[in-house]
Amino acid sequence: MIGMKKKTKKFLEHQKIIPIAIFSDTDASDLPTGYTDPTKFDLAAVVLWKDDRFHVFSDKGKEDVAYVLEDKSKTNPLPLECLKEYIQGEFLVGYDLEKFGLPLIESKINLTDDCDLNVDYYDLLQESYKAYEEHSGEGGKRFRLFQLAFWNACENSVNAADMIGFTHLKMIQSWHWGARRKGIKKLKNETIWCAELACRIFRRPEIMVRDHRTNKRIRIPIQAIGNRTSDMTGD
């Protein structure tokens, strides 16, 4: 069963933070603009943790109840059009939010709504890139979310062998074929990883990465989250 650890849940509730994972079933290679214009992508699914449960937003909405794995009582399947009310005015933590996830969401949920999306966020991709750039003095490095989760001993990262071979392209293909269970499981895992990385970083603004020059894991400073870090002490 995929679930959030009690300590992490308490942290998220205390800090009013929402971890989020975003998925598009568009293959970038099919677009003339590639990844440069997120608004050209389709928004297939979003998973987030709020109010002590997972919420799965997808094009099938309530029909996705068949794909929420064992913890059905802890998962709330909803249509994508309900997403805005769950994130408006909130603080989000996710991976690749700044340049892809949030522009994609905003382009879709505002199609019939003139009101702008108003969220604060912490982008694990951007912050780890800048942290490594500062450390190396030779430029940043784009670490994958799974790498950050594995190196920092996040929940389910060690035993996620079935997820390693489940590439983004394979997830797109299986989603189109209607095999959505594994895709939603992966998004839930990513949501947990974002939450646990946030918990670690907010308590102590450091992150474990691999130095490309020595191939050894190292712990480097990373941007804290304003005054949120000062509220948390200890390990």
Side-chain angles (χ1 to χ4, degrees):
M1 180 182 295
I2 298 177
M4 200 75 71
K5 291 194 298 188
K6 288 183 179 180
K7 183 172 72 172
T8 307
K9 288 194 290 185
K10 184 177 180 180
F11 163 78
L12 295 173
E13 181 181 3
H14 180 259
Q15 292 295 327
K16 303 187 186 314
I17 290 171
I18 298 177
I20 187 170
I22 301 162
F23 170 63
S24 170
D25 60 350
T26 302
D27 186 345
S29 65
D30 292 335
L31 300 175
T33 53
Y35 279 105
T36 59
D37 187 356
T39 65
K40 301 297 183 184
F41 286 72
D42 291 327
L43 180 59
V46 175
V47 173
L48 58 82
W49 178 273
K50 184 177 183 180
D51 299 329
D52 199 33
R53 66 171 55 203
F54 287 107
H55 302 273
V56 179
F57 302 84
S58 73
D59 54 345
K60 289 188 178 295
K62 291 292 185 182
E63 295 177 32
D64 260 340
V65 71
Y67 301 96
V68 296
L69 311 175
E70 303 92 341
D71 54 344
K72 293 181 181 179
S73 63
K74 284 293 185 181
T75 304
N76 184 26
L78 294 162
L80 281 167
E81 52 263 32
C82 292
L83 175 61
K84 185 173 182 177
E85 65 184 86
Y86 278 76
I87 63 175
Q88 185 74 304
E90 300 287 1
F91 190 97
L92 309 178
V93 172
Y95 182 85
D96 202 9
L97 293 180
E98 182 176 310
K99 295 185 177 180
F100 186 78
L102 291 179
L104 171 60
I105 287 176
E106 190 163 20
S107 71
K108 303 309 176 190
I109 66 175
N110 281 335
L111 288 176
T112 57
D113 191 341
D114 294 331
C115 182
D116 291 337
L117 180 64
N118 177 30
V119 298
D120 290 324
Y121 64 89
Y122 185 89
D123 188 334
L124 290 161
L125 171 60
Q126 293 298 320
E127 296 303 337
S128 60
Y129 183 95
K130 290 185 287 187
Y132 191 79
E133 183 176 39
E134 181 70 20
H135 160 76
S136 71
E138 301 176 1
K141 188 170 177 61
R142 184 185 176 101
F143 299 109
R144 292 184 291 118
L145 178 58
F146 173 77
Q147 291 175 316
L148 296 175
F150 182 75
W151 293 332
N152 290 273
C154 292
E155 187 78 1
N156 298 328
S157 62
V158 176
N159 299 317
D162 60 330
M163 293 287 107
I164 296 175
F166 191 51
T167 64
H168 186 68
L169 182 57
K170 287 183 178 179
M171 184 169 167
I172 290 175
Q173 292 171 342
S174 67
W175 196 269
H176 289 169
W177 295 336
R180 304 157 70 95
R181 179 187 295 269
K182 196 169 184 179
I184 291 178
K185 178 181 179 181
K186 183 177 182 180
L187 292 172
K188 284 184 172 184
N189 266 323
E190 290 179 355
T191 304
I192 292 172
W193 294 342
C194 289
E196 294 197 6
L197 285 168
C199 187
R200 287 161 170 74
I201 292 169
F202 296 169
R203 289 171 180 268
R204 184 178 294 132
E206 300 173 339
I207 193 167
M208 186 79 76
V209 298
R210 189 181 294 278
D211 192 311
H212 74 284
R213 297 163 298 189
T214 63
N215 204 34
K216 293 182 179 180
R217 296 184 195 179
I218 54 170
R219 192 176 298 277
I220 62 175
I222 192 170
Q223 175 64 47
I225 310 300
N227 60 7
R228 292 172 183 263
T229 303
S230 63
D231 293 335
M232 304 298 293
T233 57
D235 293 327

